[in-house]
Amino acid sequence: MQQILGYMRRAITQYDMIHPGDRIAVGVSGGKDSVALLVGLARLRQFIGIDYQLHAVTLDPGFGGVEQDYTPIQELCSRLEVPYLIKRTGIGPIVFDARQETNPCSLCARMRRGALHDTAKELGCNLVALGHHYNDAVETFLMNLFNEGRLGCFSPVTYLSRKDLTMIRPLVLAPEHDISRAVRRAGLPVVKNPCPVDRHTNREATKEFLRQLERQDRGITKRIFGAMVRAHLDNW
């Protein structure tokens, strides 16, 4: 995890993400990225020189009307001494059963974001930390370019005026393969994504497209990311 901590520390400093007294709601889906984010933020408290508090939050979408078991995450939070809340929701049945969305990811993401923001406010948090990483940023840029015909991406730091919350993404400088390796080597728990369309999304198709480009032209991901930063795209 030492390399991941280095990426996170640099992002937090470079984008001025966290300040003394901040209360951070960490969105923990149970996947490798969110688990690495949680462990990284918990460990950084020991030496980064910023006094902040953490509260881990998992939103259970209730896919198939079944409650997901997050016991491994609960045990991890206990070891890290981070308060943990599992918020049971009906997002899954709404998206897949009631609405029968042809593009379920968009509605699901909006509903999960809204639920996470509301939960963060209930917990008295002023920041929400998400596990988006370096590759996510490049993939999002390509999806916006190819699917919407616009240049854009999520920002490392985003202030939501309607909620008076700030979204931060401390993993934005960390490549996905480094995160995967760190989680595996540290033996961190990962809860499998129960989403019915997991691995069959537009993002997954974009991820595979980027892999193909990388195989044909090694370093293209890095160059795209560099172009986003140099262009100051969406506060990059």
Side-chain angles (χ1 to χ4, degrees):
M1 281 293 295
Q2 204 61 37
Q3 185 180 33
I4 301 304
L5 294 179
Y7 286 127
M8 293 178 67
R9 186 172 190 172
R10 184 153 61 94
I12 289 169
T13 302
Q14 183 172 326
Y15 294 108
D16 196 26
M17 291 184 177
I18 303 175
H19 304 93
D22 281 340
R23 292 174 57 90
I24 308 172
V26 186
V28 184
S29 66
K32 68 181 190 318
D33 305 326
S34 64
V35 168
L37 173 68
L38 171 63
V39 173
L41 286 173
R43 292 186 181 175
L44 279 174
R45 289 184 299 183
Q46 302 169 15
F47 60 85
I48 199 172
I50 305 173
D51 180 24
Y52 59 86
Q53 298 180 47
L54 298 175
H55 203 126
V57 178
T58 292
L59 298 176
D60 180 7
F63 291 121
V66 178
E67 292 188 352
Q68 180 79 358
D69 180 13
Y70 294 100
T71 301
I73 307 301
Q74 200 163 19
E75 293 172 349
L76 174 64
C77 288
S78 179
R79 293 197 299 272
L80 295 172
E81 298 182 342
V82 174
Y84 181 49
L85 173 67
I86 301 174
K87 191 86 167 181
R88 306 292 182 181
T89 75
I91 292 174
I94 291 173
V95 173
F96 288 98
D97 301 330
R99 295 281 295 268
Q100 297 184 350
E101 288 285 315
T102 54
N103 180 22
C105 296
S106 178
L107 177 61
C108 184
R110 288 199 305 272
M111 294 183 70
R112 284 189 290 111
R113 280 197 302 269
L116 181 58
H117 297 166
D118 290 343
T119 303
K121 294 297 289 185
E122 291 168 8
L123 294 171
C125 296
N126 63 307
L127 299 183
V128 175
L130 301 177
H132 296 129
H133 49 65
Y134 177 98
N135 297 78
D136 285 329
V138 177
E139 291 157 15
T140 300
F141 170 78
L142 291 178
M143 289 166 68
N144 288 335
L145 178 63
F146 295 150
N147 300 339
E148 301 179 22
R150 67 181 179 89
L151 298 177
C153 184
F154 54 73
S155 299
V157 178
T158 306
Y159 176 66
L160 307 174
S161 58
R162 288 192 300 174
K163 292 287 186 178
D164 191 26
L165 279 172
T166 299
M167 310 284 288
I168 62 172
R169 295 173 168 90
L171 285 174
V172 289
L173 301 181
E176 185 174 18
H177 62 81
D178 288 342
I179 295 172
S180 299
R181 183 173 54 198
V183 169
R184 185 173 60 254
R185 287 182 174 177
L188 297 177
V190 173
V191 176
K192 187 181 184 304
N193 185 357
C195 176
V197 295
D198 184 37
R199 304 291 180 180
H200 301 283
T201 63
N202 186 26
R203 179 168 293 278
E204 188 62 32
T206 305
K207 191 183 292 288
E208 180 55 34
F209 172 71
L210 193 57
R211 289 193 197 104
Q212 292 177 5
L213 288 180
E214 193 65 38
R215 284 193 289 267
Q216 296 167 8
D217 187 1
R218 189 172 179 82
I220 193 168
T221 304
K222 184 177 180 180
R223 294 196 294 276
I224 294 173
F225 187 90
M228 291 166 54
V229 173
R230 289 189 294 275
H232 302 292
L233 188 71
D234 291 323
N235 297 319
W236 282 90

